[in-house]
């Protein structure tokens, strides 16, 4: 027989407590997560400034020795940070890269310059081989060996449909398989605003087998697929959908293999997704959904999610910082990539 609620003060408190519990249970998962997420601010540790005139270190990667960061920049090169004394040095570039034309001041529209010089976005190393895989917005999926130099183009189309906006990439460190996104088959990177404005849903998620060279379209008809990350157990991919402000989970192993499902609703527009080293993910937010030009001087830079998709931490910082990637390294340092700024920022989450 169940307990009977009492009357008076104790009964009232019990009913209030039950009401709160029921209310929380009825909240959507993302709302409940946001309600209990730890709110932290970013404290700047240092900046890694790019050479003059260069901007846009969109993605940040470290090699198997921990060297770096490496990042692709606005003139089409991939640079490596070699410490404060040497700064950034050239590591790689696309085939046909012309130093004089690509490093000169930009006198032409971005699409004309980038289509010739390349615009590297997502970067991931395969630790066993030392190869760096590059999602170049205009050149397609590329790879460069552990000594750097000129990259090799691996794929520029899938099922006869050319890539228009190659964007995010991740590597299965066990099998060597490479997963990447093409954000749109209609609009190039220089028209990325149109992908969101039109609700374009021609994006694709793909897998490249480096052993056979076979390319497989895992899912098509996606709305602005951007960054992605392989789960810690390698059973699924978490993919950011920028326009819809969502994450989806695409299963690659187990009984659900080949299917996708919602993973998280986000309070802003996501870019890259990176593992947090604890089974969850850091998701960079380029801006908030309902950002106001008035009021607070800070906004959400990123959120950290648990392995179940619940937001467990919100990282805030100044509104002039619009990160495209957050990667956590030793000592709690967070490296922030940016498609707009002239440096990589290194911050810590203040308690």
């Amino acid at each position: 027989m169940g307990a009977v609620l009492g009357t008076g003060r104790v009964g009232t408190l019990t009913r209030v407590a039950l009401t709160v519990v029921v209310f929380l249970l009825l909240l959507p998962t993302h709302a409940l997560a946001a309600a209990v997420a730890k709110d932290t601010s970013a404290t700047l540790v240092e900046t890694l400034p790019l050479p003059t005139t260069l901007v846009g270190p969109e993605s940040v990667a470290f090699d198997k020795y921990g060297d770096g960061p490496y990042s692709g920049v606005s003139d089409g090169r991939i640079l490596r940070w070699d410490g404060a004394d040497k700064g950034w040095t050239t590591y790689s570039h696309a085939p046909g890269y012309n130093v004089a034309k690509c490093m000169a001041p930009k006198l032409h529209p971005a699409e004309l310059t980038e289509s010739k010089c390349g615009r590297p976005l997502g970067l991931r190393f395969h630790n066993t081989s030392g190869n760096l895989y590059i999602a170049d917005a205009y050149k397609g999926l590329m790879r460069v060996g552990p000594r750097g130099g000129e990259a090799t183009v691996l794929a520029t189309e899938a099922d006869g449909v050319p890539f228009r906006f190659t964007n995010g990439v991740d590597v299965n460190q066990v099998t060597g398989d490479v997963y990447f996104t093409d954000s749109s088959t209609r609009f190039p990177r220089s028209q990325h605003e149109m992908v969101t404005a039109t609700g374009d849903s021609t994006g694709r998620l793909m897998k490249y087998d480096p052993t056979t060279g076979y390319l497989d379209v895992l899912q098509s008809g996606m709305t602005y697929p951007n960054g992605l990350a392989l789960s810690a157990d390698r059973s699924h991919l978490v993919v950011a959908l920028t326009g819809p402000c969502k994450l989806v989970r695409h299963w690659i192993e187990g009984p659900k293999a080949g299917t996708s499902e919602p993973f998280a609703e986000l309070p802003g527009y996501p870019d890259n997704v990176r593992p947090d080293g604890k089974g969850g993910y850091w998701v960079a937010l380029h801006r908030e959904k309902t950002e106001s030009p008035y009021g607070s001087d800070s906004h959400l830079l990123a959120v950290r999610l648990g392995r179940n998709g619940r937001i467990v931490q919100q990282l805030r910082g100044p509104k002039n910082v619009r990160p495209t990637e957050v990667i956590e390294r030793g000592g709690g340092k967070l490296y922030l990539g940016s498609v707009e700024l002239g440096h990589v920022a290194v911050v810590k989450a203040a308690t």
Side-chain angles (χ1 to χ4, degrees):
M1 180 176 177
V4 178
L5 291 180
T7 59
R9 178 176 174 82
V10 175
T12 300
L13 290 174
T14 303
R15 285 192 293 272
V16 170
L18 286 174
T19 300
V20 171
V21 170
V22 171
F23 171 74
L24 290 173
L25 290 175
L26 291 176
L27 278 174
T29 299
H30 67 278
L32 178 59
V36 298
K38 181 181 180 182
D39 209 7
T40 57
S41 59
T43 300
L44 183 66
V45 176
E46 63 177 325
T47 60
L48 312 181
L50 296 176
T52 306
T53 76
L54 292 179
V55 296
E58 201 263 4
S59 184
V60 179
F62 291 83
D63 62 27
K64 64 180 177 181
Y65 303 108
D67 292 336
Y70 297 71
S71 191
V73 294
S74 55
D75 71 351
R77 288 179 295 161
I78 294 161
L79 307 180
R80 179 179 63 198
W81 178 256
D82 285 330
D85 292 338
K86 292 184 178 180
W88 295 93
T89 59
T90 300
Y91 182 73
S92 182
H93 55 77
Y97 182 85
N98 184 296
V99 175
K101 292 181 179 179
C102 296
M103 293 183 67
K106 300 295 187 289
L107 301 177
H108 303 288
E111 183 175 2
L112 295 178
T113 304
E114 292 182 352
S115 62
K116 294 178 181 178
C117 303
R119 184 55 174 104
L121 299 179
L123 304 177
R124 295 294 186 276
F125 278 96
H126 177 230
N127 292 334
T128 301
S129 65
N131 291 330
L132 174 64
Y133 287 90
I134 307 151
D136 188 289
Y138 294 88
K139 302 294 184 179
L141 180 67
M142 303 194 303
R143 178 177 63 204
V144 65
R147 294 184 178 180
E150 183 173 289
T152 300
V153 176
L154 302 174
T156 59
E157 65 175 30
D159 293 342
V161 180
F163 304 152
R164 292 278 281 169
F165 189 175
T166 323
N167 202 334
V169 65
D170 201 2
V171 178
N172 186 322
Q173 297 296 337
V174 175
T175 66
D177 290 335
V178 181
Y179 300 93
F180 66 104
T181 59
D182 182 25
S183 293
S184 173
T185 61
R186 295 175 60 201
F187 300 104
R189 193 199 81 86
S190 59
Q191 295 178 286
H192 64 89
E193 296 95 341
M194 293 297 294
V195 183
T196 300
T198 64
D200 179 75
S201 296
T202 63
R204 295 175 291 177
L205 171 65
M206 289 160 287
K207 169 185 159 184
Y208 174 81
D209 184 334
T211 303
T212 64
Y214 180 73
L215 184 66
D216 185 22
V217 177
L218 301 180
Q219 186 175 346
S220 57
M222 302 181 76
T223 305
Y224 207 156
N226 197 328
L228 71 160
L230 185 66
S231 64
D233 64 1
R234 302 181 299 280
S235 66
H236 62 273
L237 297 161
V238 172
V239 185
L241 304 183
T242 298
C245 298
K246 297 179 180 180
L247 299 179
V248 295
R249 172 162 49 191
H250 182 88
W251 292 95
I252 54 178
E253 299 289 346
K256 294 183 179 180
T259 65
S260 291
E261 62 189 20
F263 186 66
E265 295 273 354
L266 300 173
Y269 295 86
D271 203 296
N272 285 312
V273 183
R274 292 301 299 262
D276 69 349
K278 306 175 183 67
Y281 309 91
W282 276 108
V283 183
L285 301 178
H286 192 61
R287 63 184 175 89
E288 294 182 67
K289 276 183 183 177
T290 56
E291 189 168 310
S292 170
Y294 309 103
S296 174
D297 292 331
S298 70
H299 72 135
L300 280 178
L301 302 179
V303 292
R304 186 165 67 86
L305 295 89
R307 65 183 72 230
N308 58 4
R310 290 185 176 181
I311 297 174
V312 296
Q313 186 175 357
Q314 299 184 137
L315 183 67
R316 294 188 173 275
K319 286 190 175 181
N320 62 346
V321 178
R322 305 283 180 174
T324 48
E325 182 158 283
V326 177
I327 177 171
E328 186 168 356
R329 302 293 291 171
K333 290 183 178 179
L334 301 172
Y335 288 74
L336 307 186
S338 169
V339 78
E340 300 172 347
L341 300 180
H343 62 264
V344 169
V346 184
V347 305
K348 278 191 173 184
T351 55

